[in-house]
Amino acid sequence: MKITIARQCGSGGHEIAEVLAKKLGMEIFDRKRFVEEAKKRNVYDENADFLREKPIDSLLFSIALSYGKKNPRDRYMQFVKDLTEQENCIIIGRCANHIYRGDENCVSVFLHADPKIRCERIQKRDQITEKEAEKHIQEVDEKRAEFQEQYTSKKWGDGKEYDLCIDTGKIGIDHAVEMILQYIRFRQEA
């Protein structure tokens, strides 16, 4: 089984992944884990931008394709799949909802919350001012949206791209975890 988690900055993605991982006995593949694995395999440099969820430089991308190079998007997506396909795991970000779309053993989740709530979470987590948190959230969300759209041609946060969209500001982290667990149970029973 796979659970993919896409999330707005400050919506509690890592917290939810950690609780789910503990309850389900699953591993988490997040940025840190992907970077570690890429370095072990000596492929970090060629995957660094993807691992940081950094959009492709369109000029360099165009040049690569004009020289007949393989589409780097395919290589990045295959890297994620190679690392995770044999695992029961939770994958945070990295277009995993797209990589595993159509996989019956995958549940894709998008987490979101009111900007005020996300701002409060980031302020508390990072010990920064409200203005700094607002700026951070805006920058991260813009980067994630551009990244997802560039790599998948799909709109980030579009409910049609996920099995579940959960407002963690309204129901909280614990209830979001329970909602995901219930969804998994219901799917297994269907």
Side-chain angles (χ1 to χ4, degrees):
M1 155 162 283
K2 308 267 181 292
I3 300 171
T4 68
I5 297 178
R7 72 277 180 232
Q8 288 182 321
C9 181
S11 63
H14 269 88
E15 292 171 75
I16 290 169
E18 288 168 5
V19 175
L20 285 169
K22 191 175 271 189
K23 287 182 180 254
L24 297 171
M26 298 173 99
E27 292 202 43
I28 297 174
F29 281 82
D30 59 2
R31 177 178 176 243
K32 182 180 176 187
R33 176 75 185 274
F34 281 116
V35 167
E36 288 170 2
E37 295 294 334
K39 286 179 178 178
K40 278 187 207 173
R41 291 165 172 71
N42 293 318
V43 294
Y44 175 74
D45 290 339
E46 65 193 64
N47 292 295
D49 287 345
F50 181 79
L51 296 174
R52 289 191 309 261
E53 293 184 325
K54 182 179 176 188
I56 296 172
D57 179 314
S58 55
L59 176 62
L60 293 178
F61 179 73
S62 297
I63 291 169
L65 290 182
S66 70
Y67 281 99
K69 300 276 186 196
K70 186 177 177 186
N71 187 333
R73 291 178 196 157
D74 298 336
R75 183 183 73 227
Y76 301 144
M77 302 278 187
Q78 192 59 50
F79 173 74
V80 171
K81 195 158 192 173
D82 289 346
L83 285 178
T84 60
E85 71 182 339
Q86 299 302 318
E87 302 279 340
N88 285 324
C89 61
I90 298 164
I91 308 167
I92 301 175
R94 312 302 162 296
C95 303
N97 66 301
H98 182 76
I99 293 168
Y100 283 102
R101 73 186 178 283
D103 185 323
E104 290 297 316
N105 294 313
C106 181
V107 172
S108 60
V109 179
F110 184 79
L111 303 173
H112 60 97
D114 182 88
K116 186 176 191 257
I117 292 167
R118 295 187 296 130
C119 186
E120 289 169 2
R121 285 180 181 156
I122 295 297
Q123 281 181 268
K124 184 177 178 183
R125 183 191 76 191
D126 296 346
Q127 299 296 304
I128 58 177
T129 67
E130 182 178 352
K131 243 188 186 22
E132 289 169 323
E134 287 171 351
K135 182 180 180 198
H136 176 72
I137 287 169
Q138 181 179 356
E139 288 172 354
V140 170
D141 284 352
E142 285 174 3
K143 182 179 84 167
R144 286 179 181 165
E146 185 179 354
F147 174 80
Q148 177 85 10
E149 290 173 29
Q150 226 181 38
Y151 280 91
T152 67
S153 300
K154 303 292 182 188
K155 185 168 173 50
W156 180 70
D158 182 347
K160 295 181 297 217
E161 300 300 319
Y162 308 92
D163 296 315
L164 286 173
C165 293
I166 301 173
D167 187 333
T168 62
K170 290 184 178 173
I171 67 169
I173 301 300
D174 293 335
H175 286 108
V177 169
E178 287 307 313
M179 183 179 275
I180 295 166
L181 291 172
Q182 282 185 342
Y183 181 82
I184 291 168
R185 279 186 224 115
F186 291 149
R187 264 191 46 180
Q188 289 171 342
E189 291 171 6

